């Protein structure tokens, strides 16, 4: 039985016009199977899509699943304003996301968006390193596009287990230099992203990162060692996306904060990460 508390809270918060959130039925333009575990959904709406920022996310309702009662949080992968498209990179990790991966062109998906706080912008001429691992590469594509269009110099450092697991490389190459690592050495340098030579050979003004928590902690440690400003996008379990259920609480220098509402992007100086 669906939680009446969640839906009453959602209704109450949605009525607050100051929150500038939208509950929209988006039409599926395409559902591209990039990998046995990943599907790229391209969605649109009859009206112009609302304002969004790289690093924010969407809560997607899953229809037709007897086991999925809550919406699924999915990072905004890209927004194409000219085509009025929203891209969501879906990793199939459970029944809910497997259902989303079965969507077909012409289907409708209900989304609450945009949610959370995104990545910081950068000034023209600044050098940005965007580090991603696994499905954590998703929010970095649009961030890289925005940074590049603003005149920043963007380098993507992307890691995966094998070359087969690297995603959207052609898209990333539109917006910056792409450096790669794979654990088996099948493409790029062998090892983890934190082993890549670029980290010791080049200087960056800002590091932004998303991926598995151990990887982000390692990137944060590197940034602290080098005295670099660094932001990470946390992937705590987010049930409501509005800060009501407290499932995604993270301990910070400011006390316990909800990742869905106060993040998901945090400067590492706000986090209690020391290693």
């Amino acid at each position: 039985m669906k939680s009446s508390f969640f839906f009453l809270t959602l209704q109450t918060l949605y009525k607050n016009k100051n929150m500038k959130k939208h509950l929209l039925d988006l039409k599926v333009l395409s559902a591209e199977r990039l990998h046995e575990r990943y599907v790229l959904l391209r969605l649109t709406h009859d009206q112009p899509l609302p304002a969004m920022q790289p690093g924010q996310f969407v809560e997607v309702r899953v229809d037709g699943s007897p086991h999925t009662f809550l919406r699924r949080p999915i990072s905004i992968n890209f927004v194409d304003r000219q085509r009025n498209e929203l891209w969501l990179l879906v990793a199939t990790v459970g029944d809910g996301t497997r259902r989303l991966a079965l969507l077909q062109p012409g289907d409708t998906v209900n989304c609450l968006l945009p949610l959370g706080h995104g990545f910081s912008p950068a000034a023209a001429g600044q050098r940005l390193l965007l580090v991603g691992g696994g499905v954590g590469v998703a929010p970095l594509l649009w961030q890289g596009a925005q940074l590049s269009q603003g005149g920043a110099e963007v380098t993507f450092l992307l890691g995966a287990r094998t070359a087969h697991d690297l995603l959207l490389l052609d898209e990333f190459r539109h917006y910056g230099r792409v450096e790669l690592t794979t654990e088996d050495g099948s493409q790029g340098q062998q090892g983890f992203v934190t082993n890549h030579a670029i980290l010791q050979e080049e200087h960056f003004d800002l590091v932004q990162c998303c991926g598995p928590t151990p990887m982000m902690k390692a990137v944060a440690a590197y940034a602290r060692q080098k005295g670099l400003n660094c932001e990470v996008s946390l992937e705590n379990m987010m049930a409501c996306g509005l800060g009501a259920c407290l499932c995604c609480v993270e301990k910070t220098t400011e006390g316990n904060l909800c990742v869905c509402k106060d993040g998901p992007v945090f400067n590492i100086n706000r986090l209690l990460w020391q290693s």
Side-chain angles (χ1 to χ4, degrees):
M1 184 175 181
K2 295 183 178 180
S3 168
S4 59
F5 168 77
F6 170 75
F7 287 101
L8 286 172
T9 302
L10 173 61
Q11 185 180 44
T12 301
L13 291 173
Y14 180 64
K15 286 180 178 178
N16 184 345
K17 296 181 180 180
N18 293 328
M19 297 196 72
K20 297 182 181 178
K21 296 177 181 11
H22 302 262
L23 197 60
L24 301 177
D25 287 324
L26 301 180
K27 183 173 71 174
V28 178
L29 291 174
S30 65
E32 180 182 359
R33 177 71 65 170
L34 302 179
H35 183 283
E36 58 267 20
R37 295 196 305 273
Y38 301 109
V39 171
L40 178 64
L41 298 178
R42 288 183 171 91
L43 310 174
T44 191
H45 194 260
D46 294 337
Q47 300 297 319
L49 292 168
M52 293 174 267
Q53 295 178 340
Q56 291 186 303
F57 67 99
V58 176
E59 285 277 1
V60 183
R61 191 179 71 201
V62 180
D63 296 326
S65 171
H67 310 294
T68 308
F69 304 134
L70 298 176
R71 292 172 180 263
R72 289 296 178 260
I74 300 178
S75 296
I76 295 172
N77 179 219
F78 195 78
V79 175
D80 187 327
R81 289 292 176 189
Q82 291 185 332
R83 293 184 171 86
N84 201 40
E85 291 181 7
L86 167 66
W87 298 8
L88 300 179
L89 182 60
V90 179
T92 55
V93 296
D95 186 68
T97 47
R98 283 194 292 268
R99 293 274 179 171
L100 294 177
L102 296 176
L103 290 168
Q104 297 296 314
D107 288 344
T108 298
V109 58
N110 185 267
C111 297
L112 178 64
L113 75 162
L115 299 171
H117 294 277
F119 291 106
S120 297
Q126 284 193 305
R127 302 191 73 214
L128 275 290
L129 179 66
L130 306 188
V131 186
V135 75
V137 304
L140 302 181
L141 178 61
W142 191 30
Q143 172 65 352
Q146 297 288 88
L147 292 171
S148 177
Q149 291 165 10
E153 182 182 336
V154 178
T155 298
F156 298 101
L157 176 54
L158 309 177
R161 292 182 179 177
T162 72
H164 177 64
D165 299 313
L166 293 166
L167 304 170
L168 298 170
L169 294 186
D170 289 341
E171 297 292 342
F172 281 106
R173 289 181 176 121
H174 286 312
Y175 305 110
R177 176 168 54 127
V178 176
E179 299 288 346
L180 304 171
T181 68
T182 50
E183 293 178 30
D184 66 353
S186 53
Q187 193 166 350
Q189 295 188 18
Q190 184 169 8
F192 301 115
V193 290
T194 47
N195 302 130
H196 198 286
I198 195 175
L199 298 182
Q200 304 305 323
E201 295 174 354
E202 300 189 28
H203 170 77
F204 298 94
D205 298 303
L206 174 63
V207 180
Q208 295 175 325
C209 179
C210 185
T213 298
M215 184 205 81
M216 291 195 292
K217 286 186 174 182
V219 171
Y222 153 79
R224 282 199 174 97
Q225 179 186 14
K226 295 291 186 179
L228 301 177
N229 197 12
C230 179
E231 294 179 337
V232 294
S233 179
L234 302 190
E235 296 186 328
N236 297 29
M237 182 178 294
M238 295 183 282
C240 72
L242 298 165
C245 69
L246 305 181
C247 287
C248 63
V249 166
E250 178 78 16
K251 293 181 179 179
T252 75
T253 58
E254 303 157 43
N256 291 339
L257 296 178
C258 290
V259 169
C260 68
K261 180 173 65 70
D262 302 301
V265 177
F266 290 87
N267 189 290
I268 60 170
N269 293 329
R270 301 176 68 193
L271 301 174
L272 302 180
W273 289 2
Q274 299 301 324
S275 61

